[in-house]
Amino acid sequence: MRVLGIETSCDETAAAVVTEGGDVLSDVVRSQVALHAPYGGVVPEVAARDHARAVVPVVREALARAGVTAADLDGVAVTSRPGLAGALLVGLQTAKGLAWAAGKPLVGVDHLVGHLLAVFLQRDGAPEPDERPAFPYVALLASGGHTAIYRVDGPALGAIRELGATRDDAAGEAFDKVAKLLGLGYPGGPVVDRLAADGDAAAAAEAVPAVMARKESLEFSFSGIKSAVARHVAKRGRPEGQALNDLCAAFQGAVVDALVQKTVRAARAEGIERVVLAGGVAANRGLRAKMAAACARRGLGLFVPPFASCTDNGAMIAYAGALRLAAGERDTLDLAPETRTALPRVTRKGGGVR
């Protein structure tokens, strides 16, 4: 089975052809980072307009690289939720038109499910199939728009359960906001990660509090650490040189410690020995290193996708869609975009006593 996946939920226009077994035949991603950088974040209208310009060339390139035509496909998968409404609509209309014209089945994919299954993608140089996790596993999904821990018992929506999530900012969002405070530009995560590697977290520890450190909680809150950095900058000005590296190291260390500790805690509470990293923040070197060390200490198996499978991509959408098609599921041309995930939430947004 060969499935085309189309992803336009936020600021990447992506398309890929993937088999039911997870073999990536092609994967094309067009980033909008340069468009949004002057604004310090994603502008929804700018994103939607650029998707409209880019989606057809990106799809054509994905088909060409895979050496197939629309007639050779077994189905078309597209991100239908969650995401920016206008951006989602571009991908949906493209997928509907292609599926209708080629007489192929259409399936919508929840973007978060795509991330949670991206660990199964087989790219050049990726682990062999027997090195991929078995179900169930505990997954940390951390990105610019989402941060949550899930128990994944299978690929279907009903087999995925949220164990804890952020009450406010996502981890990636916190990285971007702190980077903006420090004058590091957008996107901020990769820059903070690079500077943190040369910093001493202990030297700036007083400027950065722990992230919602209650031992029994699997929830996150990153607004407090962002505000602490803002107060530090307002009081002392933007740091430079080694002081900047130290502050980045302290900030990243606090965020990563919370992500690692709570993910490991969730795995032990669920009695599961397999941990998966997913989402754009899974590309962070500090997170990968600390999670690997923590899992090794506790005898947990850690599975981390290649960098290309962490950030938004069409391959994860194609694979999740292929599994839906294999299960006999189909969507109609009435499929509409939804800004919220279909996965049930257990974590309530905002502060206050739980």
Side-chain angles (χ1 to χ4, degrees):
M1 182 181 290
R2 292 174 293 188
V3 176
L4 171 70
I6 299 175
E7 155 63 26
T8 63
S9 65
C10 190
D11 60 344
E12 277 95 14
T13 310
V17 179
V18 177
T19 70
E20 180 186 352
D23 293 318
V24 180
L25 305 182
S26 68
D27 189 17
V28 180
V29 179
R30 182 183 186 277
S31 174
Q32 297 180 359
V33 166
L35 287 176
H36 301 290
Y39 308 102
V42 177
V43 181
E45 181 64 18
V46 172
R49 289 179 180 273
D50 194 67
H51 285 311
R53 286 189 292 266
V55 66
V56 171
V58 166
V59 168
R60 285 176 174 162
E61 180 66 17
L63 293 173
R65 291 187 188 181
V68 300
T69 67
D72 300 320
L73 298 172
D74 295 289
V76 179
V78 60
T79 303
S80 58
R81 62 192 306 164
L84 304 173
L88 289 170
L89 188 60
V90 173
L92 270 170
Q93 295 300 87
T94 304
K96 288 179 183 180
L98 183 58
W100 178 83
K104 304 298 180 180
L106 173 75
V107 286
V109 172
D110 190 296
H111 181 81
L112 303 191
V113 175
H115 274 304
L116 292 172
L117 299 178
V119 69
F120 294 104
L121 294 175
Q122 291 297 295
R123 301 177 182 270
D124 291 339
E128 294 300 317
D130 60 354
E131 296 179 18
R132 295 183 291 180
F135 295 111
Y137 55 82
V138 166
L140 169 67
L141 198 170
S143 68
H146 309 278
T147 297
I149 302 171
Y150 294 93
R151 175 180 174 129
V152 183
D153 288 290
L157 282 172
I160 301 172
R161 178 165 57 91
E162 180 189 301
L163 302 176
T166 180
R167 296 182 178 184
D168 39 59
D169 292 348
E173 184 181 3
F175 270 95
D176 287 340
K177 289 181 177 179
V178 165
K180 188 174 182 179
L181 287 169
L182 299 176
L184 300 178
Y186 172 86
V191 182
V192 171
D193 188 25
R194 175 171 54 81
L195 296 177
D198 296 322
D200 177 9
E206 78 285 350
V208 181
V211 176
M212 202 171 172
R214 291 211 321 269
K215 290 185 177 181
E216 73 281 4
S217 174
L218 296 179
E219 297 180 356
F220 303 94
S221 174
F222 298 107
S223 62
I225 190 172
K226 174 197 65 181
S227 299
V229 173
R231 289 191 297 269
H232 180 79
V233 171
K235 182 179 179 180
R236 301 190 181 184
R238 287 178 175 174
E240 297 179 353
Q242 188 59 43
L244 176 60
N245 296 343
D246 294 343
L247 185 56
C248 287
F251 166 76
Q252 176 166 291
V255 172
V256 166
D257 284 346
L259 294 173
V260 170
Q261 292 167 9
K262 298 197 176 195
T263 301
V264 170
R265 186 181 305 154
R268 299 184 71 182
E270 294 293 315
I272 295 176
E273 297 180 349
R274 292 166 293 278
V275 172
V276 168
L277 290 185
V281 178
N284 182 281
R285 292 171 297 174
L287 174 59
R288 286 172 172 243
K290 285 193 175 182
M291 188 69 80
C295 288
R297 287 196 300 271
R298 292 163 178 81
L300 302 175
L302 177 63
F303 302 85
V304 185
F307 290 116
S309 295
C310 293
T311 53
D312 290 353
N313 62 87
M316 67 183 191
I317 303 304
Y319 177 66
L323 295 183
R324 286 199 64 201
L325 288 169
E329 300 177 23
R330 305 288 188 275
D331 285 308
T332 69
L333 296 181
D334 294 330
L335 182 64
E338 296 286 346
T339 58
R340 296 185 178 183
T341 179
L343 297 174
R345 289 187 59 92
V346 300
T347 301
R348 180 168 59 84
K349 288 284 189 178
V353 179
R354 295 298 195 269

